[in-house]
Amino acid sequence: DQQVKQNSPSLSVQEGRISILNCDYTNSMFDYFLWYKKYPAEGPTFLISISSIKDKNEDGRFTVFLNKSAKHLSLHIVPSQPGDSAVYFCAASGEFRGTASKLTFGTGTRLQVTL
Amino acid sequence: DTAVSQTPKYLVTQMGNDKSIKCEQNLGHDTMYWYKQDSKKFLKIMFSYNNKELIINETVPNRFSPKSPDKAHLNLHINSLELGDSAVYFCASSLQPRGETQYFGPGTRLLVL
């Protein structure tokens, strides 16, 4: 049962253009969403997050949009740079115990930024 | 300075062996986790500890036993390794109060032959 889905396994974008990565979820209990970036042979690196009480969060070149009614979120990267080439994971949280949160991850989208 | 570190980075072993993976974080976090990324690239939580206390234990075979000697360390011991245990294991840590933002280590690539 895949509760967080990233339907595009890969995306190629030219340098300087906008990259849009999408994520859909099915569990309406999720109330916090995160994007992680992962380079080969490294661990996921936290990028940006958004609470369900917001519909947009911006941090420099990265913006995350949340559409709760559609159970959809997206990550916009503007402008895209070659160093952004990586696998991007969407994650959602809605269940926590004490101080720990169970993150549910999508399967990732590989972004390639070309020159 | 490495925030979350894991050793070893690579582990190749035979079926039936017992192995351990170590994790240390220097972020001052109270909560630590183990995740498994399988061949289909799903990243799934296995365990979570808060200040040496087990607080999340997913449906993981009891051959897997986490141990937390202190809040900066969370080790994973695996008994009687099976082929299906081959995966990348990631350690992570987080801050209170709810720990949604988790910081990951570089991963340990385990291959069971």
Side-chain angles (χ1 to χ4, degrees):
Chain A
D1 177 26
Q2 207 177 326
Q3 299 184 64
V4 177
K5 297 179 185 179
Q6 294 177 255
N7 292 318
S8 299
S10 64
L11 176 67
S12 183
V13 172
Q14 270 190 321
E15 183 182 10
R17 303 262 187 171
I18 184 171
S19 294
I20 300 176
L21 294 95
N22 294 304
C23 179
D24 297 296
Y25 62 96
T26 56
N27 190 339
S28 53
M29 296 299 291
F30 289 147
D31 64 356
Y32 198 84
F33 303 88
L34 309 93
W35 284 96
Y36 282 84
K37 174 181 179 179
K38 186 181 179 305
Y39 292 118
E42 294 185 11
T45 302
F46 169 70
L47 202 54
I48 192 170
S49 61
I50 188 167
S51 164
S52 60
I53 61 173
K54 295 184 175 182
D55 54 20
K56 178 182 173 182
N57 188 25
E58 195 171 347
D59 183 1
R61 297 186 297 114
F62 302 92
T63 303
V64 56
F65 294 93
L66 175 62
N67 182 334
K68 281 186 296 183
S69 59
K71 294 192 176 68
H72 177 83
L73 64 155
S74 60
L75 174 69
H76 292 208
I77 307 173
V78 183
S80 300
Q81 299 174 353
D84 296 330
S85 297
V87 177
Y88 289 79
F89 288 95
C90 170
S93 170
E95 182 180 350
F96 59 99
R97 299 177 197 169
T99 60
S101 183
K102 286 179 61 175
L103 292 185
T104 301
F105 283 83
T107 50
T109 295
R110 181 178 302 278
L111 172 66
Q112 182 162 12
V113 180
T114 58
L115 298 173
Chain B
D1 284 345
T2 304
V4 182
S5 59
Q6 294 178 228
T7 53
K9 192 159 185 175
Y10 299 96
L11 191 50
V12 181
T13 187
Q14 300 288 330
M15 260 195 323
N17 284 349
D18 302 339
K19 290 293 177 186
S20 292
I21 306 171
K22 296 185 177 182
C23 177
E24 177 181 1
Q25 55 94 5
N26 62 7
L27 296 167
H29 293 168
D30 285 329
T31 306
M32 296 184 72
Y33 308 78
W34 277 111
Y35 282 82
K36 177 181 179 180
Q37 185 179 34
D38 61 23
S39 56
K40 294 182 180 178
K41 306 301 181 187
F42 283 108
L43 201 65
K44 289 184 181 175
I45 190 168
M46 300 172 70
F47 302 103
S48 177
Y49 266 76
N50 173 258
N51 201 14
K52 302 192 291 179
E53 182 186 349
L54 180 66
I55 48 176
I56 292 178
N57 185 351
E58 291 298 280
T59 49
V60 177
N62 57 15
R63 297 182 295 103
F64 290 78
S65 52
K67 283 189 170 51
S68 182
D70 55 60
K71 73 174 192 176
H73 296 85
L74 180 62
N75 303 323
L76 183 66
H77 188 77
I78 315 170
N79 287 329
S80 304
L81 278 156
E82 299 178 357
L83 294 176
D85 297 332
S86 296
V88 183
Y89 293 86
F90 290 100
C91 176
S93 69
S94 67
L95 268 175
Q96 299 187 24
R98 285 185 17 164
E100 295 100 337
T101 304
Q102 297 174 16
Y103 297 87
F104 285 79
T108 295
R109 282 140 192 87
L110 171 64
L111 178 61
V112 182
L113 302 175

